[in-house]
Amino acid sequence: TLQLLEEIGHPCFRSLWQPQVGSSDEEALDSLRKVLPYLQHLHVFHWEPDFQNRRALTVGATRWIRFFKLAVGATSPPPLLIEFLLHDDPKLLVREAATLRHLIEESQESARG
């Protein structure tokens, strides 16, 4: 993806980012760092490493705070998309959105101080 973005080299050609399922935090941060100049938005979700089990966003809170700190520190906050819900249950969207707001606030506070 990065090679394609660099070869096209046009400011209107952008990319989403999401951590590769099963990647370590450091691998995910490295891939985010590389795509930051082209970042359009983040797909936010938490899956178990086996890519079979979706989890509530709170389970992946520590990792997402690190991702948000990097993304917010490099640019203005990118748009965020909650991509998956536990059990595909739309009733959980309100809870996940509240968690997302909390994680954003935490990442902004820790980036400032």
Side-chain angles (χ1 to χ4, degrees), residues 23-56:
S23 64
S24 70
D25 287 2
E26 295 312 313
E27 291 168 329
L29 284 164
D30 185 52
S31 73
L32 175 56
R33 207 173 278 111
K34 289 176 181 173
V35 79
L36 277 176
Y38 309 99
L39 186 62
Q40 180 64 34
H41 64 274
L42 297 175
H43 285 198
V44 181
F45 61 90
H46 188 70
W47 287 65
E48 291 297 312
D50 62 9
F51 201 39
Q52 300 297 315
N53 297 302
R54 296 175 184 182
R55 296 289 181 235

Side-chain angles (χ1 to χ4, degrees), residues 85-96:
L85 296 171
L86 183 63
H87 309 299
D88 294 325
D89 184 351
K91 290 180 255 167
L92 297 177
L93 181 58
V94 171
R95 183 185 76 192
E96 291 294 90

